[in-house]
Amino acid sequence: MSARVSTSLFALLLVAGLLLSACGVPREVMATRPVPDVEDETGTISAEFTLETQSAVGETAASASLADSPTFGGALNIAWRRTGWLAWDLHTSSEGFSRDILLSVLDTLVAYGEDYSIVPSLAESWEISEDGKTYTFRLRQGVRFHDGSGFTAEDVIASLDRYMEVGGRKDQIAARLLSYEAIDDYTVEMTVSEPTVSFLDLLATPGFGIAIYPQQIIEGRGDDLTADEIVGTGPYRIDTWDEGNVIRLTRFEEYTPYPGRRDGAGGAKLAYFDEINFHTVPEFGAELAGLQTGLYDIIWDSDYGSASLVEADPNLKTIWNQHGGTLFGNFVFDHSWMDLKFRQAIQAGIDMEALGLAATGNCPDCVSLEPSIWPGFSTWHIEDAPHHALYNQVDIEKAKSLLAESRYDGEEFEILSLSYFPLFPNGARELASQLTDLGITAKITEYGDGALFVSRLSQDAEDPKPAFFFARMGTPVLVSPEWLATFWSCSPTYLVSPHYCSEEMEAALDNLLTATNTLEKKQALLEMERIVYEDAAFFPIFGIGSPMFARSDIMGFES
């Protein structure tokens, strides 16, 4: 049997399918048991994948031979620099790295497939009534939660009840979902107010995901779940959540995969490793040293400028993600001197290519200049719109003229940055230099603790001073643009907020969420993008291609 092994950065980075080479000195993480014999119709080993299309490069004949006889077991050790804002409750958190972990622990009713279509997860099938208002979900039988209890429709109802109280997208869901009820132990019926092409997307979207918890844990609970209460049906369970030290997932031996083949974030999943450990390592130098000595197998948040160092070491390799999302520039609104002319001045004067190269440590392969919010591979990519002329103008004279017409009078403009995400501090320094050339006084405030950064940009902040921050728009936005309603609306629920409120944008978001077909949905997205450009509220800087560093014996990485 030939075997292709896939892994996941999105519904956990490497839940299933990393192979550890037997070449050279045996390593402690070597697998010890044969892989379960699971075949799909193509004869391949089925596993998870990421929606952030990423694949291994430069595989040798030896690795291809190894992929024909994969093994099972051992531990995977991942180093990262995340601290201060991780959260373990998928209902109330959309922090990307927490989400990537939790989607190997928790399941939703439906998920996104490899081609971004909706595919089964805990629901094995569904029917939509002729009028488009009633959805009937048939649930999988024989599925167990990590606490040993069986999964039934009552768990779905209890999870929806709780989500409608505390969920990060509860307002979007409530505006469309009229009712939901358990018809029997394995059937759930939902009724929406009007037909919409987006309802299944709302159920599948990973950001603020509608995860299914056991009824006995979730019923009547608010937003105070502990890590011990994060009990799901996924291939891994939380063993240790010690943020700042280690987060450990262990294989759930009673996990029941969906029959058949893996399909994106849904379908059949295999948990190859006995455990996956996320180690907090504050400095990249220490991460790299640990990778070189074999202490770690992968560096999650790699330093963009260090790919040449890694590629020079025969024991290491770089795995490229050419579709890592889009880096956005975001203004923090307070409606004082930061008026439209001021924002348009920055939009007109910034050199996006120079900013991208600086942010990525002079990595041309990491920078794709793209005026559309949605990259070319996305279903929602917009081509040749008139407002794209406002992208990457690099018109210094125009910028200075607009600045002179604005209310800006030499005030200090603050650029907020996170020190442990290399794109942000590198980009902040280049942006400050370009703003100085335009005549703007720029100040960089760098946060080493994500919680402090979140507090500064919280939607509940009492005094949102004028500022600027970078944000990477990744999987949720590229796949399900409905997620933008948590960030660009007058009532944001995302963990950081630009405090932006526009009646025109609210109307466009409503059109997006009520679109009855793909054409209407894309028209709403075109309108949203036009507003973004003309209001100079945010701006796409560049599409991100990002490296991940790994030991050379990590094979078959395809996501």
Side-chain angles (χ1 to χ4, degrees), residues 42-89:
T42 66
T44 64
I45 299 281
S46 296
E48 294 191 273
F49 91 124
T50 177
L51 300 179
E52 300 178 352
T53 311
Q54 179 168 313
S55 60
V57 295
E59 290 200 359
T60 64
S63 71
S65 174
L66 179 65
D68 287 340
S69 56
T71 50
F72 183 73
L76 181 73
N77 291 288
I78 300 169
W80 66 355
R81 298 192 289 277
R82 307 296 161 197
T83 184
W85 62 353
L86 298 178
W88 49 68
D89 186 357

Side-chain angles (χ1 to χ4, degrees), residues 102-422:
L102 291 169
L103 287 177
S104 290
V105 175
L106 302 164
D107 286 317
T108 51
L109 283 178
V110 294
Y112 282 111
E114 196 158 358
D115 61 355
Y116 308 122
S117 62
I118 304 296
V119 300
S121 183
L122 285 175
E124 64 181 12
S125 65
W126 55 91
E127 298 174 359
I128 306 174
S129 62
E130 288 188 11
D131 65 2
K133 294 183 178 182
T134 301
Y135 292 72
T136 303
F137 296 90
R138 309 293 180 186
L139 308 182
R140 291 165 53 198
Q141 299 186 32
V143 174
R144 292 203 168 274
F145 286 101
H146 299 155
D147 63 0
S149 60
F151 162 68
T152 71
E154 293 303 326
D155 302 303
V156 176
I157 299 304
S159 296
L160 280 168
D161 285 345
R162 194 257 185 164
Y163 195 92
M164 301 305 284
E165 292 293 325
V166 303
R169 293 181 292 114
K170 63 179 182 180
D171 292 342
Q172 296 176 39
I173 305 296
R176 281 136 197 95
L177 183 58
L178 289 180
S179 65
Y180 49 91
E181 62 177 325
I183 303 302
D184 57 41
D185 283 350
Y186 296 102
T187 307
V188 171
E189 186 175 276
M190 301 186 193
T191 303
V192 297
S193 55
E194 296 293 338
T196 171
V197 72
S198 295
F199 183 66
L200 290 174
D201 288 280
L202 293 173
L203 299 181
T205 298
F208 293 121
I210 307 178
I212 306 303
Y213 295 96
Q215 178 186 14
Q216 64 270 22
I217 288 179
I218 207 69
E219 195 166 46
R221 294 299 299 273
D223 58 359
D224 58 346
L225 289 183
T226 66
D228 291 339
E229 294 175 304
I230 302 304
V231 174
T233 55
Y236 283 90
R237 62 196 305 169
I238 296 174
D239 177 86
T240 303
W241 194 292
D242 182 7
E243 186 177 345
N245 184 21
V246 64
I247 295 173
R248 177 173 295 111
L249 305 182
T250 55
R251 183 194 293 112
F252 176 41
E253 299 293 353
E254 295 183 68
Y255 172 69
T256 305
Y258 182 82
R261 64 179 294 273
R262 177 269 300 164
D263 191 357
K269 306 171 187 177
L270 292 179
Y272 276 66
F273 292 102
D274 295 326
E275 63 182 50
I276 301 176
N277 303 306
F278 290 83
H279 303 271
T280 298
V281 184
E283 299 292 336
F284 174 73
E287 288 181 313
L288 183 58
L291 190 69
Q292 291 169 328
T293 61
L295 181 62
Y296 308 123
D297 301 298
I298 291 175
I299 299 177
W300 183 301
D301 39 12
S302 301
D303 187 284
Y304 289 80
S306 299
S308 59
L309 293 176
V310 171
E311 290 165 1
D313 188 329
N315 296 314
L316 308 180
K317 68 178 180 179
T318 302
I319 300 170
W320 285 96
N321 176 4
Q322 297 298 343
H323 304 295
T326 300
L327 188 69
F328 263 75
N330 305 272
F331 292 99
V332 180
F333 285 74
D334 78 333
H335 308 291
S336 61
W337 51 264
M338 198 181 70
D339 59 4
L340 177 60
K341 295 289 186 181
F342 176 83
R343 302 193 304 273
Q344 288 176 331
I346 293 179
Q347 182 187 57
I350 296 302
D351 185 333
M352 304 298 185
E353 183 174 17
L355 183 52
L357 290 173
T360 59
N362 196 31
C363 175
D365 291 338
C366 301
V367 178
S368 173
L369 297 181
E370 172 59 69
S372 176
I373 292 174
W374 296 274
F377 70 90
S378 171
T379 303
W380 311 114
H381 178 70
I382 295 171
E383 293 186 13
D384 302 325
H387 53 259
H388 287 172
L390 297 173
Y391 176 75
N392 199 30
Q393 301 170 64
V394 200
D395 189 334
I396 305 300
E397 293 306 314
K398 177 182 177 181
K400 289 183 176 180
S401 176
L402 287 165
L403 191 63
E405 297 173 24
S406 75
R407 294 200 298 267
Y408 178 71
D409 190 26
E411 293 88 350
E412 194 171 66
F413 184 54
E414 190 176 18
I415 303 171
L416 310 176
S417 175
L418 277 169
S419 61
Y420 55 75
F421 196 32

Side-chain angles (χ1 to χ4, degrees), residues 337 342 346 408 410-417 424-425 427-436 439-447 456 465-470:
W337 51 264
F342 176 83
I346 293 179
Y408 178 71
E411 293 88 350
E412 194 171 66
F413 184 54
E414 190 176 18
I415 303 171
L416 310 176
S417 175
F424 295 170
R429 287 187 287 272
E430 173 64 21
L431 178 61
S433 175
Q434 292 193 30
L435 292 181
T436 299
I440 297 172
T441 304
K443 169 193 174 183
I444 299 174
T445 300
E446 196 165 294
Y447 294 90
R456 171 68 171 84
K465 298 176 183 177
F468 179 95
F469 66 98
F470 296 107

